[in-house]
Amino acid sequence: MTGSPGQQAAGAGNIIGAREVIMFTLLAVIVATAGVAALALLRPAPTSALTPDPNMDMLSIPAFSLTAQDGRTITRDDLLGGVTILDFFFSSCPFICPPMSRNMKHAQDELAGTSVRFLSVSVDPERDTPERLRMYAREVGADTSVWTIATGPREVVARLLRDGLLLSEPVEDESLPINLKDGGTMSNILHPSHFIMLGPNAEIVALYNGLSRDAVDELIARARAAAKSLSR
């Protein structure tokens, strides 16, 4: 080091100061990393396939009364005791509903022999009568011993979506007219595309993208494991 003794001392002080800053920074990183690791250890890991995903406790299934394709009354009590996969649709839909129904049929087939049940709720009660839903069940290949297709008052369905699941309630979209088989037309009905996994107390366990085969396959694996855990 060159320069006067005072300059040398100042330079040495700067070096020591720089080293102290580096050491302090490294120490802070180590402490912070240790803290993150400690928090990770404290964070509860999922204990089973039935452990709800984060924030699912904000959602719920309120009391309801719907009519199944065979005329039976369906209530919240019918969801108790097992695993249920729930979605919303309408039979005249040419947009998102056909791929959703194919994915639900895929889930039904993959979960055959388990205790998992399925419930599809129409958002078009004026047209989707029980008779129409029986036809729809045949069209999509629903095994109605495990897959219930239901209809009910518009406000009941809206309350399920809006107040219970905190999803958007059905809304008519006049910009997308649908040509009906009888020669008439109707407006598209906007509705969520989620598949909702319910636990044995009708609690919300998870939501999956009902349009994605990969997401539905994840749901299938989880529902199978959940049903198996309930049968022990």
Side-chain angles (χ1 to χ4, degrees):
M1 180 180 293
T2 60
S4 67
Q7 289 174 328
Q8 292 176 7
N14 289 338
I15 292 173
I16 294 171
R19 287 174 177 168
E20 288 175 344
V21 169
I22 292 171
M23 292 301 295
F24 179 80
T25 302
L26 288 174
L27 180 61
V29 169
I30 292 170
V31 170
T33 303
V36 171
L39 288 175
L41 290 173
L42 292 173
R43 187 183 301 122
T47 55
S48 77
L50 284 168
T51 301
D53 285 354
N55 300 319
M56 292 298 103
D57 59 340
M58 299 171 60
L59 314 181
S60 65
I61 298 292
F64 66 86
S65 180
L66 299 170
T67 303
Q69 77 283 342
D70 57 5
R72 289 180 297 117
T73 297
I74 302 295
T75 70
R76 190 179 185 278
D77 288 346
D78 291 289
L79 304 177
L80 302 177
V83 175
T84 304
I85 298 173
L86 166 68
D87 77 337
F88 295 83
F89 82 107
F90 63 105
S91 68
S92 302
C93 169
F95 304 116
I96 66 172
C97 296
M100 287 176 64
S101 292
R102 286 192 293 270
N103 279 337
M104 191 70 97
K105 171 67 161 54
H106 171 63
Q108 171 195 266
D109 293 345
E110 290 296 310
L111 292 166
T114 72
S115 60
V116 178
R117 297 294 180 263
F118 306 86
L119 174 60
S120 293
V121 178
S122 172
V123 297
D124 184 21
E126 288 80 9
R127 297 173 184 84
D128 283 341
T129 62
E131 180 182 9
R132 171 64 190 124
L133 294 184
R134 285 195 297 274
M135 295 173 58
Y136 186 76
R138 291 193 292 270
E139 291 169 6
V140 300
D143 176 357
T144 53
S145 68
V146 296
W147 183 357
T148 299
I149 304 180
T151 187
R154 185 178 294 272
E155 180 52 34
V156 171
V157 176
R159 188 169 65 248
L160 272 171
L161 284 164
R162 179 189 64 231
D163 300 341
L165 296 168
L166 304 184
L167 298 172
S168 57
E169 62 183 276
V171 176
E172 290 194 8
D173 180 9
E174 296 181 356
S175 70
L176 283 175
I178 296 172
N179 295 319
L180 302 174
K181 293 179 180 178
D182 63 6
T185 61
M186 65 173 287
S187 297
N188 182 41
I189 303 175
L190 301 177
H191 63 87
S193 59
H194 301 79
F195 283 5
I196 301 121
M197 178 175 164
L198 308 178
N201 296 312
E203 74 276 22
I204 313 300
V205 175
L207 274 63
Y208 289 84
N209 181 355
L211 294 170
S212 166
R213 181 57 65 91
D214 289 342
V216 172
D217 282 338
E218 291 179 13
L219 167 59
I220 290 167
R222 187 170 183 176
R224 180 182 291 111
K228 184 175 180 180
S229 71
L230 290 174
S231 66
R232 292 172 182 166

